């Protein structure tokens, strides 16, 4: 009732390069949908991550044309008919994007997300999944372990951070007490904010373990995130 509805749809598109393309679409419909646009995530084993992001962007463009009216069915029909054109356009636009100078809106729009996880039962698999998502979405930061505290700190484009959150909440990333795959239900978004000038930009995504809370605090301080640490981390110990 407060978070809306999330659902997955898989569709096959046959016309693209004489190959069957399986598109995995994830729609999150907020409570006030269709007055508010849905969040959309696109995945496909046959397309690159950049192509999936272009498909998502085109779907959101189409969604804006249907604001205030049910749109999911129309969006699915549209992408089935236009996928090959989106992919062709994606190839030509790709080269233009790489020539953009630093200091453009992409750089201006860097956001930061701090998440708290309650536990990881299947730790090795879970860590590998988080690393893959961060890499696919071009996010940098840290997955941090200190005693029982597990934190994920991410920096990157806001739309990619939103997509990471959708993946984190809707994918089977761990196992339950009986060993069955399960979704992450014990996750808290501690902070989501725009990166400020005093914040250091992480260049990579790393998994790190800290033997003491002081070591963890130094990591935050080095990144110019002392306030973030003091506001959100100590309360987790209570």
């Amino acid at each position: 009732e407060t978070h809306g509805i999330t659902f997955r749809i898989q569709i096959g598109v046959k016309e693209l390069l004489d190959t069957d393309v399986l598109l995995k679409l994830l729609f999150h419909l907020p409570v006030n949908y269709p007055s508010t646009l849905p969040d959309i995530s696109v995945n496909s084993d046959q397309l690159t991550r950049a192509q999936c992001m272009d498909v998502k962007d085109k779907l959101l463009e189409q969604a804006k044309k249907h604001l205030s009216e049910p749109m999911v069915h129309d969006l699915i029909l549209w992408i089935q008919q236009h996928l090959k054109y989106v992919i062709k356009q994606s190839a030509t636009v790709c080269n233009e994007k790489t020539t953009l100078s630093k200091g453009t809106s992409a750089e201006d729009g860097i956001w930061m997300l701090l998440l708290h996880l309650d536990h990881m039962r299947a730790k090795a698999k879970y860590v590998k999944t988080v690393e893959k998502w961060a890499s696919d979405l071009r996010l940098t930061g840290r997955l941090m372990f200190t005693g029982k505290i597990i934190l994920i700190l991410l920096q990157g484009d806001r739309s990619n951070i939103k997509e990471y959150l959708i993946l984190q909440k809707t994918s089977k990333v761990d196992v339950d007490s009986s060993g069955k795959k399960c979704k992450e239900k014990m996750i808290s978004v501690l902070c989501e904010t725009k990166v400020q000038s005093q914040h250091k930009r992480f260049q990579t995504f790393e998994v790190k373990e800290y033997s003491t809370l002081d070591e963890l605090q130094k990591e935050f301080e080095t990144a110019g995130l002392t306030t973030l640490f003091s506001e959100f981390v100590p309360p987790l110990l209570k």
Side-chain angles (χ1 to χ4, degrees):
E1 290 179 8
T2 56
H3 300 293
I5 300 170
T6 300
F7 59 92
R8 295 174 182 273
I9 296 175
Q10 294 196 118
I11 57 170
V13 184
K14 295 184 178 295
E15 305 170 23
L16 190 67
L17 305 175
D18 301 321
T19 311
D20 285 2
V21 174
L22 184 65
L23 277 184
K24 300 169 187 174
L25 305 174
L26 189 145
F27 292 90
H28 172 71
L29 308 185
V31 178
N32 46 358
Y33 167 86
S35 299
T36 302
L37 292 177
D39 281 326
I40 303 172
S41 177
V42 179
N43 282 287
S44 174
D45 294 336
Q46 290 82 31
L47 302 179
T48 66
R49 188 71 215 160
Q51 288 172 327
C52 287
M53 292 296 287
D54 284 329
V55 171
K56 172 189 165 181
D57 290 343
K58 291 297 181 186
L59 281 171
L60 286 172
E61 278 180 26
Q62 290 300 310
K64 288 174 185 174
K65 299 176 183 178
H66 295 279
L67 200 57
S68 299
E69 60 186 60
M71 65 185 77
V72 173
H73 184 249
D74 289 323
L75 295 179
I76 291 167
L77 291 178
W78 186 88
I79 199 61
Q80 282 179 310
Q81 294 166 4
H82 295 86
L83 181 63
K84 62 182 178 182
Y85 305 110
V86 174
I87 300 309
K88 281 179 184 175
Q89 194 176 6
S90 174
T92 57
V93 171
C94 187
N95 292 328
E96 295 172 19
K97 283 185 178 175
T98 56
T99 61
L100 284 174
S101 62
K102 289 182 180 177
T104 58
S105 58
E107 189 69 15
D108 295 336
I110 301 302
W111 279 67
M112 179 166 57
L113 178 72
L114 181 63
L115 301 173
H116 172 240
L117 299 180
D118 186 72
H119 61 268
M120 285 184 182
R121 285 196 175 93
K123 184 176 175 180
K125 177 181 175 293
Y126 204 133
V127 168
K128 205 170 181 180
T129 302
V130 171
E131 286 181 308
K132 183 179 186 308
W133 287 343
S135 173
D136 286 348
L137 293 167
R138 301 186 291 281
L139 299 173
T140 60
R142 300 284 186 267
L143 169 53
M144 302 176 278
F145 296 91
T146 310
K148 291 186 177 181
I149 294 178
I150 306 170
L151 299 170
I152 301 175
L153 180 63
L154 298 169
Q155 292 179 346
D157 184 83
R158 193 177 190 189
S159 63
N160 289 5
I161 280 183
K162 282 191 170 185
E163 185 157 351
Y164 177 93
L165 261 179
I166 292 173
L167 288 169
Q168 180 77 62
K169 290 177 179 178
T170 59
S171 304
K172 292 185 176 180
V173 287
D174 206 2
V175 295
D176 60 20
S177 55
S178 62
K180 289 182 181 177
K181 289 182 180 179
C182 65
K183 295 176 184 177
E184 179 57 75
K185 294 177 182 174
M186 305 285 285
I187 186 171
S188 306
V189 178
L190 300 179
C191 179
E192 185 177 356
T193 184
K194 194 169 184 179
V195 171
Q196 304 300 320
S197 57
Q198 70 270 25
H199 300 152
K200 174 189 165 189
R201 286 289 311 279
F202 292 107
Q203 299 303 311
T204 58
F205 183 82
E206 296 177 32
V207 180
K208 300 185 79 170
E209 304 216 11
Y210 308 86
S211 53
T212 66
L213 200 63
D214 284 343
E215 283 185 19
L216 178 66
Q217 186 170 353
K218 282 176 185 171
E219 177 81 75
F220 275 80
E221 288 173 354
T222 304
L225 300 171
T226 305
T227 306
L228 193 73
F229 178 89
S230 58
E231 188 173 347
F232 295 105
V233 179
L236 300 175
L237 300 169
K238 294 175 183 175

